[in-house]
């Protein structure tokens, strides 16, 4: 099942149906007495209690929503965090996740964000590393600048945590998925991070400076390309367009992974071939991409891929826009067929 909380057999479904009513009733008691949430999570975390754990999880929103109304999100988050132990982490994370109601128009409040950071600090692992899962529920309430500083930590985490963080950062900004927002200026902040912004900041990540292996940096971008329901061809186009625009105005160098991403995009999204051929590749020539050896190699490879696609789209006009010296270099490596 794509949903890990659905019953995996008829027997489990029957068991979950029978458990639903007593679980919900016990949750109602937990709202009155938050101290007994520990007992609920303890029972659901025992070995071979998978059906009970699933039943608790699928009904967790009822408990979290009622607890927020009665006690306040930040207060109950800290109270429950102090009670649960390591074996109950998964149910506690589900509880935290549901403290932020998806239907709310307003982002998580600062006191809940502070509470999640406090919980994260208190539950540091034996290796001294922070568990990024504890702040994922409140990412949409953080400023874009703060989220940008946390990107390296999410990239360093496992793929599942990285993808969950991406969804949470952008969840309240899906109408603006294709936009890289302008900095509003002093005294104001942007909250959350659009999908376009995520791709741009991810490409611009100085992985060596933050101690990330280059392989992981490149892999994180591949993960985005694989999640094509989120990072669609239009989102990719918006991000690549923004990066090339800042390069053209000499504001920044092209990120290390930039041409690699374009090449992967060529393989994955035929819908972008025309734009890459007629807009992006000529723009990069205008910005003198051939002065950067690594990016120039990528440009030539991309142009070669699209030179004879047989789709009525060709990079020939972009190749012809090269200065004579660079055109000769291109043709010496890629003779016309």
């Amino acid at each position: 099942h794509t949903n890990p909380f659905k019953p995996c057999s008829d027997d489990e479904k029957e068991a979950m149906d029978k458990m639903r009513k007593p679980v919900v009733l016990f949750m109602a008691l937990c709202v009155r007495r938050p101290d007994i949430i520990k007992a609920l999570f303890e029972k659901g975390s025992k070995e071979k209690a998978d059906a009970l754990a699933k039943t608790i999880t699928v009904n967790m929103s009822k408990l979290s929503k009622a607890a927020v109304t009665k006690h306040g999100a930040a207060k109950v988050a800290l109270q429950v965090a102090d009670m649960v132990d390591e074996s109950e982490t998964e149910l506690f994370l589900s509880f935290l996740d549901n403290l932020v109601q998806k239907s709310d128009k307003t982002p998580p409040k600062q006191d809940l964000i502070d509470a999640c950071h406090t919980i994260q600090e208190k539950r540091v692992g034996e290796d001294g590393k922070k568990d990024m899962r504890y702040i994922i529920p409140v990412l949409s309430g953080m400023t874009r600048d703060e989220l940008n500083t946390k990107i390296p930590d999410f990239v360093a985490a496992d793929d599942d945590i990285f993808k969950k963080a991406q969804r949470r950062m952008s969840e309240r900004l899906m109408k603006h998925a294709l936009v890289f927002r302008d900095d509003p200026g002093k005294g104001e902040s942007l909250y959350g991070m659009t999908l376009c912004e995520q791709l741009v900041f991810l490409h611009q990540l100085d992985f060596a400076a933050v101690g990330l292996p280059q392989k992981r940096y490149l892999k994180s971008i591949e993960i985005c390309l694989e999640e094509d329901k989120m990072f669609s061809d239009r989102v990719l186009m918006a991000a690549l367009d923004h990066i090339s625009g800042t390069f053209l105005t000499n504001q920044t160098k092209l990120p290390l992974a930039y041409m690699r991403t374009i090449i992967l995009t060529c393989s994955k999204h035929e819908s972008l071939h025309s734009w890459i051929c007629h807009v992006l590749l000529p723009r990069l020539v205008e910005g003198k991409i051939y002065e950067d050896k690594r990016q120039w190699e990528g440009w030539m490879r991309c142009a070669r891929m699209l030179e004879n696609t047989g789709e009525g789209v060709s990079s020939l006009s972009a190749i012809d826009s090269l200065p004579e010296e660079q055109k000769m270099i291109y043709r010496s490596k890629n003779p016309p067929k």
Side-chain angles (χ1 to χ4, degrees), residues 77-78 81-82 86 92-93 96 112-136 142 146 150 153:
L78 291 169
D82 287 339
E86 192 65 28
F92 175 57
L93 286 169
L96 268 187
L112 180 57
I113 296 172
D114 293 340
C116 287
H117 276 114
T118 299
I119 293 166
Q120 186 189 45
E121 293 288 344
K122 286 183 177 181
R123 299 173 76 89
V124 171
E126 292 181 2
D127 57 2
K129 292 183 179 179
K130 295 179 180 179
D131 190 332
M132 302 307 290
R133 294 177 297 173
Y134 291 112
I135 62 168
I136 286 177
M142 295 186 195
E146 186 177 6
K150 294 186 184 300
D153 294 322

Side-chain angles (χ1 to χ4, degrees), residues 30 64 86 95 133 151 238 245 248 320 322:
C30 290
S64 295
E86 192 65 28
F95 177 74
R133 294 177 297 173
I151 285 179
L248 194 61
D320 288 338
L322 289 166

Side-chain angles (χ1 to χ4, degrees), residues 21-39:
K21 186 174 181 180
V23 163
V24 172
L25 286 172
F26 194 84
M27 285 179 168
L29 292 175
C30 290
V31 176
R32 286 184 169 187
R33 290 182 50 198
D35 56 296
I36 63 172
I37 291 176
K38 162 72 176 175

Side-chain angles (χ1 to χ4, degrees), residues 5 27 52-61 91 94 98:
F5 306 116
M27 285 179 168
L52 177 57
K54 288 181 180 181
T55 306
I56 293 171
T57 302
V58 297
N59 290 285
M60 192 70 80
S61 61
L91 288 176
S94 175
N98 282 281

Side-chain angles (χ1 to χ4, degrees), residues 33-103:
R33 290 182 50 198
D35 56 296
I36 63 172
I37 291 176
K38 162 72 176 175
L40 179 68
F41 290 180
E42 188 175 8
K43 293 287 187 186
S45 302
K46 288 188 175 182
E47 190 177 355
K48 298 183 179 179
D50 295 353
L52 177 57
K54 288 181 180 181
T55 306
I56 293 171
T57 302
V58 297
N59 290 285
M60 192 70 80
S61 61
K62 298 180 177 68
L63 172 59
S64 295
K65 186 174 182 179
V68 168
T69 302
K70 188 169 180 64
H71 305 286
K75 181 180 177 182
V76 77
L78 291 169
Q79 184 178 354
V80 176
D82 287 339
M83 293 187 292
V84 297
D85 59 34
E86 192 65 28
S87 65
E88 296 141 24
T89 297
E90 291 301 323
L91 288 176
F92 175 57
L93 286 169
S94 175
F95 177 74
L96 268 187
D97 189 58
N98 282 281
L99 288 179
V100 180
Q101 300 298 319
K102 312 299 187 298
S103 58

Side-chain angles (χ1 to χ4, degrees), residues 1-9:
H1 291 291
T2 53
N3 182 348
F5 306 116
K6 283 186 177 180
C8 58
S9 67

